[in-house]
Amino acid sequence: MKKEFKIVVLAKQVPDTRNVGKDAMTPEGTVNRAALPAIFNPEDLNALEAALRIKDKYPGSTVTVLSMGPHRAAEVIRDAMFRGADGGVLLTDRKFAGADTLATSYALSCAARKLAPDMIIAGRQAIDGDTAQVGSQVAEKLGWPQVTYAEEILDLDEKGMTIKRRLENGIEVVQSPLPLVVTVNGSAADCRPQNARRIMKYKYALIPTEAAAEPASLAAEMTAKHDYLRIAEWGADAVDPDPSQLGLEGSPTKVKKIENVVFQLKESKCLQCTDDEINTLIVELLETHTLG
Amino acid sequence: MNNLFVYIETEGGKVADVSLELLTKGRELADTLGCKLEAVLIGDGVAHLVPELAQYGADKVWLAEGKELSPYRTLPHAAILCGLIEQEKPQICLMGATPVGRDLGPRVSSAMHSGLTADCTSLVIGDHKDAKTGKEYDQLLYQIRPAFGGNIIATIINPDCRPQMATVREGVMKKEFAAKPGAGEVVKVDWQKMTSEADFVVKIIERHIEERKINIKNAGIIVAGGYGMGSRENFKLCFDLAETLGGEVGASRAAVDAGFTEHARQIGQTGVTVRPKLYIACGISGQIQHTAGMEDSAMIIAINNDPEAPINRIADYTIIGDVNEVIPRMIKAYHKNSK
């Protein structure tokens, strides 16, 4: 019976759209990305935890984080290493720019094929787009089964995996052979925190671009000395893609128009929190049969 | 050929509301395009649903029936839908943004190499001219949705790939019988030819699906709480007010994410869309993600301690103050004045 699994976790660095402040939009009405902190996509953390639990149970298993994005997205890979991942790959290239979900999935599937894992675990969806498409599309590109909305991996052996799915009005338990793609729901177990010893061990982990930017730094020096501190950085050429399926060209969907949100102004009555004013409002609502 | 497909979702022998809503919208789009509206019905013992699909405007129903096809599983349903798309080349394919549609849609769009826009709030037919190539396109599907946490509204198109695919949340489109029912012509699908053994490798070994208990979609009065309620404990005030007024409790995404209440109560783009006669927003700032799901309410009362909160701009009444003080006063005033 197989006791070691090779796991790839898909992770995305996203702007924190949940905490959009007043300065999130520029006076010109465009999105002010600088005002939004970049974070580890929340459900990808649930996915990482699911992978780390497999590693806990089957020592010798490896967890590799695969992310696509600009150089600074190496931060999520380091974060994952602080929490227990063995290492990671950052897919980064101008050729990927402008990718919609399909072109993104294609690039990720090329990288995944090269990594040849037993399974891919991803968050259900990313908070900047909420599309929930990439996991399923990567599965299709690889020709693997997909199990979405996973809440808990109940059982695993070399033949397959038993997974509890959380649906809107209930649960489903399914069995799938390996390899497969699992997408994990936010209702799954939270990710373990960063571990102090792992932070000490991996704080100098860098992608080559980061090391080259500050060649004299201690981090660059450490990275040059130790293999385990090197986060892989792959450009498009590294994953041998069909160039017509990458980036803007490989994206069937195009953005025709972006509009800023303009609220239709209503004539609004403003009340203060006093018994009198609230009483008057309730009386009015009862008289107009809006209430009662 | 080049017609409009709607994937029909069923549960417990019934058609999901969202599929009927999409047929209603699909009928309108098909009339604009001058094409046929076709339903794809996959399941076991579902033929009796055909007349209902016709009532909502389906000209044709592609019927694939078999024990192996129910309950829904990704691979066989995707293989059949892809098989039909390859055979019939529809120009548009719509499905519900439900757990099923959001599982199936991306798989099919990837296999067909066609774009898919998730959670559209509006679908419109329009023309397009590519700014770079100057190429003109007639009658594309404009797929309109809030993006980037709801701070912008994006119009997405798929100029060159077919079908143009979109998912839509339940309640966003209205459900209405077609002015003239469709013919509902049934075409049996030889689905065994479209699937292989490999499509049946995932087995369902246990399944508990409950009838939905919370139904905020049809409530006349909704008291919705946001992150500004502060805690799960304080959120109970929303239940108190709803009970007093005879309404249901809703919530913003931030309140659900914070664990104040369950997801079934979430209102907005990634939740339910509602149109009650009275909507009371308590401690909700009013990002478009939320307002997209409630702005058509007949009357909106916003309770917020921030006079600048965006929700105030669409409210008929705003009460500036702490929700923990305002709500008990409203309950008191209601008891005093109602008979």
Side-chain angles (χ1 to χ4, degrees):
Chain A
M1 191 156 127
K2 183 162 175 172
K3 288 287 182 192
E4 290 173 11
F5 297 92
K6 197 170 163 189
I7 308 162
V8 164
V9 172
L10 300 183
K12 185 179 187 186
Q13 190 180 44
V14 292
D16 192 355
T17 53
R18 297 171 308 176
N19 295 308
V20 175
K22 289 200 177 73
D23 52 354
M25 304 298 281
T26 63
E28 294 77 45
T30 55
V31 175
N32 181 10
R33 279 177 187 268
L36 295 168
I39 58 164
F40 204 120
N41 179 51
E43 287 184 332
D44 296 345
L45 281 170
N46 298 108
L48 176 62
E49 178 61 26
L52 293 175
R53 286 184 178 198
I54 294 174
K55 189 176 146 95
D56 291 345
K57 206 167 164 195
Y58 302 97
S61 298
T62 57
V63 176
T64 305
V65 175
L66 173 60
S67 186
M68 182 165 127
H71 293 134
R72 70 166 185 173
E75 288 164 10
V76 298
I77 297 176
R78 262 191 299 278
D79 187 344
M81 290 163 83
F82 297 159
R83 295 170 194 262
D86 296 281
V89 177
L90 179 68
L91 260 186
T92 186
D93 198 315
R94 278 175 201 281
K95 289 178 188 155
F96 299 136
D100 69 0
T101 65
L102 199 61
T104 302
S105 305
Y106 176 71
L108 289 170
S109 70
C110 291
R113 202 171 274 128
K114 190 167 159 177
L115 292 165
D118 297 302
M119 68 194 78
I120 294 174
I121 308 182
R124 174 186 59 130
Q125 63 187 32
I127 56 167
D128 56 345
D130 288 326
T131 70
Q133 293 178 4
V134 167
S136 302
Q137 290 177 335
V138 167
E140 193 282 331
K141 297 275 175 243
L142 296 168
W144 296 358
Q146 67 192 48
V147 176
T148 52
Y149 300 95
E151 188 166 78
E152 197 183 347
I153 294 171
L154 301 174
D155 198 19
L156 173 66
D157 60 32
E158 78 278 13
K159 289 202 299 286
M161 197 187 262
T162 307
I163 301 156
K164 182 168 100 183
R165 305 177 70 210
R166 171 67 52 186
L167 304 175
E168 246 163 40
N169 307 314
I171 60 133
E172 202 175 78
V173 178
V174 301
Q175 239 166 14
S176 170
L178 304 180
L180 85 165
V181 175
V182 180
T183 77
V184 180
N185 231 14
S187 62
D190 286 336
C191 194
R192 62 198 65 186
Q194 297 181 351
N195 170 295
R197 279 156 95 179
R198 295 188 67 91
I199 294 176
M200 291 310 289
K201 184 172 176 191
Y202 290 111
K203 65 181 172 183
Y204 297 125
L206 298 177
I207 55 169
T209 300
E210 289 173 321
E214 288 182 68
S217 67
L218 176 61
E221 205 179 296
M222 294 288 288
T223 310
K225 255 190 259 170
H226 301 288
D227 274 352
Y228 67 88
L229 292 178
R230 262 170 251 153
I231 300 173
E233 180 181 336
W234 292 355
D237 295 340
V239 296
D240 195 23
D242 164 8
S244 73
Q245 292 195 53
L246 294 180
L248 202 57
E249 195 192 342
S251 301
T253 59
K254 312 283 177 205
V255 177
K256 178 171 170 63
K257 196 168 66 175
I258 295 281
E259 279 169 293
N260 298 301
V261 172
V262 184
F263 287 102
Q264 214 181 334
L265 278 174
K266 271 194 191 173
E267 203 173 315
S268 159
K269 278 192 205 163
C270 188
L271 311 177
Q272 297 303 314
C273 176
T274 65
D275 281 334
D276 273 358
E277 294 203 14
I278 288 170
N279 201 55
T280 311
L281 171 67
I282 296 287
V283 169
E284 202 181 308
L285 294 177
L286 284 164
E287 277 172 1
T288 57
H289 299 288
T290 306
L291 285 179
Chain B
M1 290 294 228
N2 303 135
N3 289 321
L4 194 156
F5 271 13
V6 173
Y7 171 83
I8 303 299
E9 205 173 306
T10 63
E11 181 68 55
K14 279 193 274 190
V15 181
D17 271 354
V18 70
S19 300
L20 300 175
E21 291 159 12
L22 286 173
L23 284 175
T24 304
K25 187 66 186 179
R27 184 69 262 169
E28 176 201 318
L29 297 173
D31 289 343
T32 306
L33 292 164
C35 73
K36 293 227 155 75
L37 174 63
E38 306 187 346
V40 177
L41 180 57
I42 306 173
D44 185 30
V46 287
H48 67 282
L49 301 171
V50 169
E52 189 179 10
L53 304 179
Q55 270 182 320
Y56 285 89
D59 296 309
K60 191 181 272 187
V61 179
W62 298 94
L63 179 65
E65 285 193 296
K67 265 208 299 292
E68 308 90 317
L69 301 180
S70 178
Y72 166 85
R73 281 185 286 172
T74 314
L75 299 179
H77 279 234
I80 295 168
L81 186 53
C82 286
L84 282 170
I85 288 171
E86 280 172 346
Q87 179 187 311
E88 294 300 313
K89 309 212 170 350
Q91 54 180 312
I92 293 172
C93 178
L94 306 177
M95 52 187 82
T98 58
V100 168
R102 284 161 69 83
D103 178 83
L104 177 68
R107 185 100 194 174
V108 172
S109 89
S110 176
M112 298 290 103
H113 193 80
S114 78
L116 168 67
T117 306
D119 299 343
C120 294
T121 49
S122 173
L123 297 170
V124 181
I125 303 296
D127 297 336
H128 174 66
K129 185 173 175 182
D130 190 290
K132 240 193 251 162
T133 62
K135 193 171 167 193
E136 294 189 31
Y137 298 85
D138 294 338
Q139 297 196 312
L140 291 181
L141 180 68
Y142 288 3
Q143 302 146 44
I144 300 163
R145 75 181 298 249
F148 216 78
N151 293 284
I152 52 178
I153 302 269
T155 301
I156 314 284
I157 49 170
N158 310 348
D160 297 308
C161 299
R162 294 292 176 271
Q164 306 164 82
M165 295 180 62
T167 66
V168 178
R169 292 250 163 199
E170 183 184 337
V172 171
M173 306 293 176
K174 283 189 184 137
K175 177 180 96 172
E176 271 165 7
F177 286 155
K180 194 173 139 260
E185 177 202 343
V186 176
V187 184
K188 289 223 164 131
V189 179
D190 191 1
W191 59 267
Q192 283 88 348
K193 280 200 183 136
M194 296 174 175
T195 53
S196 70
E197 213 176 300
D199 290 322
F200 295 93
V201 293
V202 177
K203 313 267 184 234
I204 298 173
I205 54 178
E206 207 182 312
R207 198 161 188 274
H208 305 283
I209 304 290
E210 291 169 14
E211 286 262 344
R212 207 175 334 185
K213 283 191 221 99
I214 301 164
N215 191 355
I216 54 175
K217 205 174 68 166
N218 299 320
I221 296 172
I222 292 176
V223 179
Y227 193 69
M229 292 304 298
S231 68
R232 195 179 166 89
E233 188 63 26
N234 289 354
F235 196 89
K236 293 199 180 101
L237 281 172
C238 295
F239 284 92
D240 295 343
L241 182 58
E243 198 187 337
T244 306
L245 305 180
E248 259 293 357
V249 174
S252 72
R253 177 177 181 164
V256 173
D257 283 350
F260 295 173
T261 190
E262 60 261 67
H263 181 262
R265 298 192 184 277
Q266 187 172 315
I267 291 166
Q269 191 203 357
T270 51
V272 184
T273 297
V274 295
R275 299 178 182 82
K277 63 174 179 170
L278 176 62
Y279 192 92
I280 306 178
C282 311
I284 292 177
S285 67
Q287 286 183 24
I288 183 138
Q289 142 80 241
H290 182 74
T291 57
M294 48 65 76
E295 62 195 346
D296 291 337
S297 304
M299 178 177 285
I300 298 168
I301 299 175
I303 308 171
N304 213 300
N305 53 16
D306 176 8
E308 302 294 315
I311 190 96
N312 298 347
R313 287 183 252 168
I314 60 163
D316 299 275
Y317 293 92
T318 62
I319 306 175
I320 307 300
D322 181 349
V323 282
N324 297 306
E325 289 175 30
V326 176
I327 294 177
R329 283 180 189 191
M330 288 178 82
I331 293 172
K332 199 171 84 185
Y334 183 83
H335 284 310
K336 194 171 124 195
N337 294 295
S338 69
K339 280 142 210 140

